[in-house]
Amino acid sequence: MNIRGIRKKTLRLLCQLGRDAHPNEFVALLTERDGLIDEVNLLPGTVAGEDSASILSDMMPLSTHLAGSCHSHPNGVLQPSDADIHFFPRNGRYHIIIGYPYTEQDWRCFTSDGRQCRMEVVS
Ligand SMILES: [Zn+2]
């Protein structure tokens, strides 16, 4: 399934999760329906700190509708870390990083090789 975009309400939810978790990080899996990312699955046991993301991949529920992941960067840096680059390829094709202050502009999408890519927001 090709991913055409992310629903606006899903993006809003991700912003909210970022604000709620701040100053800690959250990690979630994103699933798609009909090519649109429309569901957020928070990973259990998420702990603070950038390195936590790599540990969590072992707990991943396998889903054919898995589109990718989203996690927050409380420091506001919208670039994948080394830990993120290891995490991405095992967890779907599209990876959103949302950073402080978590507005609807404070995010970027990356492919699993860590390159920035365009992600359409669909209402
Ligand atoms: Zn990160």
Side-chain angles (χ1 to χ4, degrees):
M1 174 63 78
N2 265 335
I3 306 294
R4 293 183 288 123
I6 181 169
R7 287 200 186 276
K8 197 176 180 78
K9 69 173 170 66
T10 309
L11 181 61
R12 285 211 184 108
L13 174 61
L14 294 173
C15 294
Q16 185 62 50
L17 289 169
R19 284 191 288 267
D20 289 351
H22 193 80
N24 293 324
E25 182 186 342
F26 80 92
V27 186
L29 292 180
L30 303 173
T31 50
E32 58 79 27
R33 196 167 44 187
D34 301 328
L36 285 177
I37 294 171
D38 78 340
E39 202 177 300
V40 178
N41 306 271
L42 271 180
L43 289 179
T46 301
V47 290
E50 185 61 32
D51 290 339
S52 60
S54 52
I55 299 162
L56 289 163
S57 56
D58 294 337
M59 301 160 60
M60 216 63 59
L62 288 175
S63 164
T64 51
H65 294 283
L66 178 66
S69 72
C70 175
H71 73 283
S72 61
H73 277 181
N75 62 7
V77 177
L78 297 179
Q79 285 295 330
S81 67
D82 288 347
D84 295 340
I85 298 287
H86 289 289
F87 172 78
F88 287 172
R90 288 180 281 159
N91 299 291
R93 285 157 56 204
Y94 296 98
H95 302 278
I96 291 173
I97 293 176
I98 185 157
Y100 180 84
Y102 315 107
T103 75
E104 285 171 43
Q105 277 77 48
D106 298 310
W107 64 283
R108 282 186 193 158
C109 186
F110 300 88
T111 51
S112 49
D113 60 1
R115 274 180 243 226
Q116 194 178 330
C117 68
R118 220 177 99 74
M119 176 65 70
E120 188 107 30
V121 181
V122 180
S123 355

PDB file of all heavy atoms in Angstrom, residues 25 50 53 71-73 77 79-85 88 97, ligand 1:
ATOM      1  N   GLU A  25      10.145  11.974  25.881  1.00  0.00           N
ATOM      2  CA  GLU A  25       9.901  11.601  24.498  1.00  0.00           C
ATOM      3  C   GLU A  25       8.749  10.597  24.465  1.00  0.00           C
ATOM      4  O   GLU A  25       8.598   9.832  25.397  1.00  0.00           O
ATOM      5  CB  GLU A  25      11.189  10.946  23.997  1.00  0.00           C
ATOM      6  CG  GLU A  25      11.222  10.515  22.573  1.00  0.00           C
ATOM      7  CD  GLU A  25      12.506   9.738  22.262  1.00  0.00           C
ATOM      8  OE1 GLU A  25      13.473   9.835  23.038  1.00  0.00           O
ATOM      9  OE2 GLU A  25      12.520   9.036  21.250  1.00  0.00           O
ATOM     10  N   GLU A  50      16.642   9.420  24.295  1.00  0.00           N
ATOM     11  CA  GLU A  50      16.716   9.154  22.862  1.00  0.00           C
ATOM     12  C   GLU A  50      17.035   7.689  22.556  1.00  0.00           C
ATOM     13  O   GLU A  50      16.538   7.141  21.603  1.00  0.00           O
ATOM     14  CB  GLU A  50      17.800  10.063  22.268  1.00  0.00           C
ATOM     15  CG  GLU A  50      17.926  10.005  20.774  1.00  0.00           C
ATOM     16  CD  GLU A  50      16.646  10.433  20.070  1.00  0.00           C
ATOM     17  OE1 GLU A  50      15.926  11.292  20.616  1.00  0.00           O
ATOM     18  OE2 GLU A  50      16.367   9.887  19.001  1.00  0.00           O
ATOM     19  N   ALA A  53      14.339   4.361  21.897  1.00  0.00           N
ATOM     20  CA  ALA A  53      13.638   3.980  20.680  1.00  0.00           C
ATOM     21  C   ALA A  53      14.131   2.646  20.126  1.00  0.00           C
ATOM     22  O   ALA A  53      13.348   1.838  19.637  1.00  0.00           O
ATOM     23  CB  ALA A  53      13.778   5.066  19.627  1.00  0.00           C
ATOM     24  N   HIS A  71       7.921   9.788  16.698  1.00  0.00           N
ATOM     25  CA  HIS A  71       8.382  10.059  18.054  1.00  0.00           C
ATOM     26  C   HIS A  71       8.734  11.528  18.179  1.00  0.00           C
ATOM     27  O   HIS A  71       8.851  12.238  17.178  1.00  0.00           O
ATOM     28  CB  HIS A  71       9.537   9.138  18.468  1.00  0.00           C
ATOM     29  CG  HIS A  71      10.847   9.444  17.831  1.00  0.00           C
ATOM     30  ND1 HIS A  71      11.161   9.107  16.533  1.00  0.00           N
ATOM     31  CD2 HIS A  71      11.949  10.059  18.334  1.00  0.00           C
ATOM     32  CE1 HIS A  71      12.404   9.499  16.264  1.00  0.00           C
ATOM     33  NE2 HIS A  71      12.904  10.083  17.334  1.00  0.00           N
ATOM     34  N   SER A  72       8.861  11.953  19.424  1.00  0.00           N
ATOM     35  CA  SER A  72       9.092  13.377  19.663  1.00  0.00           C
ATOM     36  C   SER A  72      10.542  13.642  20.043  1.00  0.00           C
ATOM     37  O   SER A  72      11.238  12.775  20.565  1.00  0.00           O
ATOM     38  CB  SER A  72       8.165  13.882  20.771  1.00  0.00           C
ATOM     39  OG  SER A  72       8.412  13.207  21.977  1.00  0.00           O
ATOM     40  N   HIS A  73      10.970  14.844  19.722  1.00  0.00           N
ATOM     41  CA  HIS A  73      12.274  15.348  20.137  1.00  0.00           C
ATOM     42  C   HIS A  73      12.037  16.584  21.001  1.00  0.00           C
ATOM     43  O   HIS A  73      11.826  17.673  20.472  1.00  0.00           O
ATOM     44  CB  HIS A  73      13.130  15.727  18.915  1.00  0.00           C
ATOM     45  CG  HIS A  73      13.833  14.575  18.285  1.00  0.00           C
ATOM     46  ND1 HIS A  73      14.658  14.718  17.193  1.00  0.00           N
ATOM     47  CD2 HIS A  73      13.837  13.261  18.608  1.00  0.00           C
ATOM     48  CE1 HIS A  73      15.147  13.519  16.867  1.00  0.00           C
ATOM     49  NE2 HIS A  73      14.661  12.624  17.695  1.00  0.00           N
ATOM     50  N   VAL A  77      14.978  19.513  17.843  1.00  0.00           N
ATOM     51  CA  VAL A  77      15.800  19.242  16.660  1.00  0.00           C
ATOM     52  C   VAL A  77      15.047  18.289  15.734  1.00  0.00           C
ATOM     53  O   VAL A  77      14.750  17.155  16.106  1.00  0.00           O
ATOM     54  CB  VAL A  77      17.169  18.621  17.047  1.00  0.00           C
ATOM     55  CG1 VAL A  77      17.967  18.274  15.798  1.00  0.00           C
ATOM     56  CG2 VAL A  77      17.954  19.577  17.924  1.00  0.00           C
ATOM     57  N   GLN A  79      15.737  16.403  13.244  1.00  0.00           N
ATOM     58  CA  GLN A  79      16.630  15.533  12.482  1.00  0.00           C
ATOM     59  C   GLN A  79      16.723  14.195  13.197  1.00  0.00           C
ATOM     60  O   GLN A  79      16.713  14.156  14.431  1.00  0.00           O
ATOM     61  CB  GLN A  79      18.040  16.142  12.409  1.00  0.00           C
ATOM     62  CG  GLN A  79      18.166  17.322  11.447  1.00  0.00           C
ATOM     63  CD  GLN A  79      17.946  16.926  10.002  1.00  0.00           C
ATOM     64  OE1 GLN A  79      18.238  15.805   9.602  1.00  0.00           O
ATOM     65  NE2 GLN A  79      17.377  17.833   9.215  1.00  0.00           N
ATOM     66  N   PRO A  80      16.811  13.085  12.442  1.00  0.00           N
ATOM     67  CA  PRO A  80      16.954  11.788  13.110  1.00  0.00           C
ATOM     68  C   PRO A  80      18.314  11.654  13.798  1.00  0.00           C
ATOM     69  O   PRO A  80      19.324  12.109  13.253  1.00  0.00           O
ATOM     70  CB  PRO A  80      16.822  10.778  11.968  1.00  0.00           C
ATOM     71  CG  PRO A  80      16.765  11.534  10.699  1.00  0.00           C
ATOM     72  CD  PRO A  80      16.745  12.996  10.991  1.00  0.00           C
ATOM     73  N   SER A  81      18.313  11.047  14.966  1.00  0.00           N
ATOM     74  CA  SER A  81      19.570  10.766  15.663  1.00  0.00           C
ATOM     75  C   SER A  81      20.140   9.454  15.130  1.00  0.00           C
ATOM     76  O   SER A  81      19.493   8.752  14.359  1.00  0.00           O
ATOM     77  CB  SER A  81      19.300  10.631  17.163  1.00  0.00           C
ATOM     78  OG  SER A  81      18.513   9.476  17.377  1.00  0.00           O
ATOM     79  N   ASP A  82      21.335   9.080  15.580  1.00  0.00           N
ATOM     80  CA  ASP A  82      21.912   7.793  15.188  1.00  0.00           C
ATOM     81  C   ASP A  82      21.001   6.646  15.616  1.00  0.00           C
ATOM     82  O   ASP A  82      20.801   5.683  14.871  1.00  0.00           O
ATOM     83  CB  ASP A  82      23.295   7.615  15.824  1.00  0.00           C
ATOM     84  CG  ASP A  82      24.324   8.523  15.170  1.00  0.00           C
ATOM     85  OD1 ASP A  82      24.023   9.079  14.089  1.00  0.00           O
ATOM     86  OD2 ASP A  82      25.416   8.686  15.740  1.00  0.00           O
ATOM     87  N   ALA A  83      20.432   6.749  16.816  1.00  0.00           N
ATOM     88  CA  ALA A  83      19.524   5.707  17.298  1.00  0.00           C
ATOM     89  C   ALA A  83      18.290   5.608  16.399  1.00  0.00           C
ATOM     90  O   ALA A  83      17.810   4.514  16.101  1.00  0.00           O
ATOM     91  CB  ALA A  83      19.106   6.001  18.737  1.00  0.00           C
ATOM     92  N   ASP A  84      17.800   6.744  15.944  1.00  0.00           N
ATOM     93  CA  ASP A  84      16.634   6.750  15.057  1.00  0.00           C
ATOM     94  C   ASP A  84      16.943   6.032  13.744  1.00  0.00           C
ATOM     95  O   ASP A  84      16.126   5.268  13.232  1.00  0.00           O
ATOM     96  CB  ASP A  84      16.218   8.192  14.729  1.00  0.00           C
ATOM     97  CG  ASP A  84      15.728   8.934  15.956  1.00  0.00           C
ATOM     98  OD1 ASP A  84      15.352   8.272  16.938  1.00  0.00           O
ATOM     99  OD2 ASP A  84      15.724  10.170  15.910  1.00  0.00           O
ATOM    100  N   ILE A  85      18.120   6.289  13.199  1.00  0.00           N
ATOM    101  CA  ILE A  85      18.509   5.693  11.918  1.00  0.00           C
ATOM    102  C   ILE A  85      18.545   4.164  12.020  1.00  0.00           C
ATOM    103  O   ILE A  85      18.237   3.461  11.068  1.00  0.00           O
ATOM    104  CB  ILE A  85      19.902   6.232  11.468  1.00  0.00           C
ATOM    105  CG1 ILE A  85      19.840   7.747  11.264  1.00  0.00           C
ATOM    106  CG2 ILE A  85      20.393   5.528  10.216  1.00  0.00           C
ATOM    107  CD1 ILE A  85      19.092   8.201  10.026  1.00  0.00           C
ATOM    108  N   PHE A  88      14.514   3.082  12.396  1.00  0.00           N
ATOM    109  CA  PHE A  88      13.601   3.277  11.272  1.00  0.00           C
ATOM    110  C   PHE A  88      13.409   2.046  10.383  1.00  0.00           C
ATOM    111  O   PHE A  88      12.263   1.658  10.128  1.00  0.00           O
ATOM    112  CB  PHE A  88      14.056   4.454  10.397  1.00  0.00           C
ATOM    113  CG  PHE A  88      13.835   5.817  10.995  1.00  0.00           C
ATOM    114  CD1 PHE A  88      14.357   6.949  10.369  1.00  0.00           C
ATOM    115  CD2 PHE A  88      13.105   5.987  12.157  1.00  0.00           C
ATOM    116  CE1 PHE A  88      14.157   8.226  10.898  1.00  0.00           C
ATOM    117  CE2 PHE A  88      12.895   7.250  12.701  1.00  0.00           C
ATOM    118  CZ  PHE A  88      13.433   8.370  12.052  1.00  0.00           C
ATOM    119  N   ILE A  97       9.158  12.808  12.921  1.00  0.00           N
ATOM    120  CA  ILE A  97       9.755  13.367  14.134  1.00  0.00           C
ATOM    121  C   ILE A  97       9.054  14.683  14.413  1.00  0.00           C
ATOM    122  O   ILE A  97       8.949  15.535  13.518  1.00  0.00           O
ATOM    123  CB  ILE A  97      11.273  13.575  13.975  1.00  0.00           C
ATOM    124  CG1 ILE A  97      11.978  12.223  13.846  1.00  0.00           C
ATOM    125  CG2 ILE A  97      11.837  14.362  15.161  1.00  0.00           C
ATOM    126  CD1 ILE A  97      13.474  12.340  13.598  1.00  0.00           C
TER     127      ILE A  97
HETATM  128 ZN    ZN B   1      14.813  10.607  17.713  1.00  0.00          ZN
END
